[in-house]
């Protein structure tokens, strides 16, 4: 009447991958499709960057998917006939300064909300998260009035001081979750030993929250690097522009699109973010998978 339940080894849950056809269908084909969708835009930008105008517009004699006669004219025009190096430096300066400023404010806010346990802390955290959901297209009009009023128009400070309006809420919300996962016993022991709140934050919480800080910093740097609306509104002169705005506004003359230089500018502009992710990928994954365990 009763059948004895047979125990299966722990590894039997992945037995369906032992068969080569199943492994191809369930693993390799989805992985190849994902990599193709992910990497094809970069391949297209790279191929277009080294094409001449004849190859770009003559599809009858040349294939659009590879380069027949590579040329460096597009990159030469981008680097030496435009202010692209200055745009790159401006973008790097604005992104780095606004990221560090936002991280400082976010750390203070997240620590106060999650560790001080004051009345209404949850509602403050919710309000900060809701502030992040406000679209920049609504905020840039009142911010433009303030930028004009304080004489910051067409300066890097206009971007450095306005980018934290959307970076701080995001970083605070991200760090709140990470600070929440750090055991409270560590802080209580430090308080018993006579440590101040500032010492606890600097010497205990921040070293433990390095993966979370790196994750928030990467996101903030990426958001500020790719920001377009504020940079288009607050910057007018070519020397002060950032890469997203400069490439679009300076490399398009009327109805003429310099596709080779446009793709080269987009490709070179994406390299710093890709390099940043490659250096801190381990800390980034650690912040996404877990925090400090008791």
């Amino acid at each position: 009447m009763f059948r004895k339940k047979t125990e299966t080894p722990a590894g039997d849950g992945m037995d369906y991958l032992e068969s080569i056809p199943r492994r191809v269908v369930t693993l390799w084909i989805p992985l190849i499709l994902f990599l193709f969708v992910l990497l094809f835009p970069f391949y297209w930008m790279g191929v277009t960057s080294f094409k001449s105008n004849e190859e770009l517009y003559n599809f009858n004699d040349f294939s659009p998917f590879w380069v027949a006669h590579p040329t460096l004219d597009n990159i030469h025009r981008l680097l030496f006939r435009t202010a692209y190096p200055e745009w790159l430096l401006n973008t790097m300066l604005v992104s780095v300064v606004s990221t560090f400023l936002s991280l400082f404010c976010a750390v203070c806010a997240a620590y106060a909300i999650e560790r001080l346990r004051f009345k209404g802390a949850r509602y403050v955290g919710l309000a900060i998260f809701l502030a992040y959901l406000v679209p920049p297209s609504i905020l840039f009009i009142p911010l433009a009035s303030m930028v004009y009023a304080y004489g910051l128009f067409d300066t890097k400070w206009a971007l450095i001081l306005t980018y934290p309006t959307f970076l701080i809420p995001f970083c605070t919300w991200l760090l709140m979750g990470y600070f929440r996962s750090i055991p409270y016993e560590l802080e209580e022991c430090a308080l018993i030993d006579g440590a101040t709140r500032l010492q606890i934050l600097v010497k205990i919480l921040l070293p433990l929250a390095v993966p979370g800080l790196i994750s928030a910093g990467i996101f903030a740097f990426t958001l500020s690097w790719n920001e377009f609306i504020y940079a288009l509104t607050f910057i007018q002169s070519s020397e002060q522009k950032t890469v997203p705005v400069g490439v679009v506004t300076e490399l398009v003359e009327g109805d003429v699109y310099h596709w080779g230089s446009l793709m080269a500018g987009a490709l070179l502009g994406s390299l710093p973010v890709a390099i940043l992710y490659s250096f801190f990928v381990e800390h980034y994954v650690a912040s996404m998978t877990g925090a400090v365990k008791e």
Side-chain angles (χ1 to χ4, degrees):
M1 293 178 63
F2 299 97
R3 294 182 180 179
K4 185 178 180 181
K5 185 178 180 180
T6 58
E7 296 183 358
T8 57
D12 286 351
M14 301 295 289
D15 284 345
Y16 67 92
L17 291 179
E18 294 297 330
S19 174
I20 294 180
R22 289 184 178 180
R23 186 183 304 175
V24 171
V25 173
T26 59
L27 180 62
W28 292 112
I29 291 180
L31 184 61
I32 291 173
L33 291 176
F34 175 77
L35 290 177
F36 175 79
V37 174
L38 184 67
L39 298 179
F40 182 77
F42 295 94
Y43 171 78
W44 186 266
M45 288 189 295
V47 168
T48 307
S49 300
F50 295 99
K51 284 185 177 181
S52 61
N53 289 331
E54 183 182 2
E55 288 189 55
L56 285 174
Y57 298 108
N58 188 358
F59 292 151
N60 295 325
D61 300 329
F62 301 99
S63 173
F65 296 105
W66 59 78
V67 185
H69 305 289
T71 179
L72 296 176
D73 292 340
N74 298 320
I75 299 178
H76 181 273
R77 181 182 186 279
L78 179 71
L79 296 179
F80 297 101
R81 298 183 187 177
T82 66
Y84 188 83
E86 296 182 26
W87 304 340
L88 202 59
L89 291 177
N90 294 337
T91 310
M92 182 66 69
L93 177 63
V94 170
S95 300
V96 170
V97 176
S98 59
T99 296
F100 277 99
L101 179 61
S102 302
L103 281 180
F104 174 78
C105 298
V107 166
C108 297
Y111 177 78
I113 294 172
E114 288 296 332
R115 313 300 291 194
L116 298 185
R117 305 177 184 177
F118 61 90
K119 185 177 181 181
R122 295 299 178 188
Y123 297 103
V124 175
L126 179 62
I128 291 177
F129 176 72
L130 293 177
Y132 172 70
L133 299 180
V134 178
S137 57
I138 297 177
L139 290 177
F140 86 91
I141 296 178
L143 286 175
S145 301
M146 298 180 65
V147 167
Y148 277 105
Y150 287 99
L152 300 176
F153 179 74
D154 203 20
T155 64
K156 299 180 184 66
W157 284 106
L159 304 181
I160 292 174
L161 297 178
T162 55
Y163 282 2
T165 57
F166 62 87
L167 295 180
I168 291 177
F170 176 79
C171 294
T172 302
W173 173 73
L174 192 64
L175 291 176
M176 282 171 55
Y178 203 90
F179 283 168
R180 192 183 304 122
S181 65
I182 298 177
Y184 284 94
E185 288 78 3
L186 298 175
E187 189 171 350
E188 293 171 352
C189 293
L191 289 173
I192 293 174
D193 291 337
T196 63
R197 290 288 183 179
L198 181 61
Q199 290 174 332
I200 293 173
L201 175 62
V202 174
K203 296 183 179 180
I204 297 178
L205 290 184
L206 289 185
L208 294 175
V210 167
L213 292 173
I214 292 178
S215 179
I218 289 176
F219 272 112
F221 182 84
T222 305
L223 290 174
S224 57
W225 185 276
N226 296 325
E227 201 283 324
F228 183 81
I229 295 179
Y230 292 168
L232 179 64
T233 306
F234 303 147
I235 302 297
Q236 184 177 12
S237 61
S238 177
E239 295 78 12
Q240 300 291 336
K241 290 182 178 180
T242 57
V243 170
V245 176
V247 168
V248 175
T249 58
E250 300 290 334
L251 297 180
V252 178
E253 300 174 355
D255 59 348
V256 178
Y257 290 79
H258 302 280
W259 289 113
S261 299
L262 278 169
M263 293 296 103
L267 183 62
L268 294 178
S270 63
L271 289 180
V273 177
I275 294 173
L276 180 67
Y277 272 89
S278 64
F279 273 107
F280 297 105
V281 62
E282 294 182 359
H283 296 282
Y284 176 74
V285 173
S287 67
M288 294 292 104
T289 55
V292 181
K293 304 298 180 182
E294 296 189 64

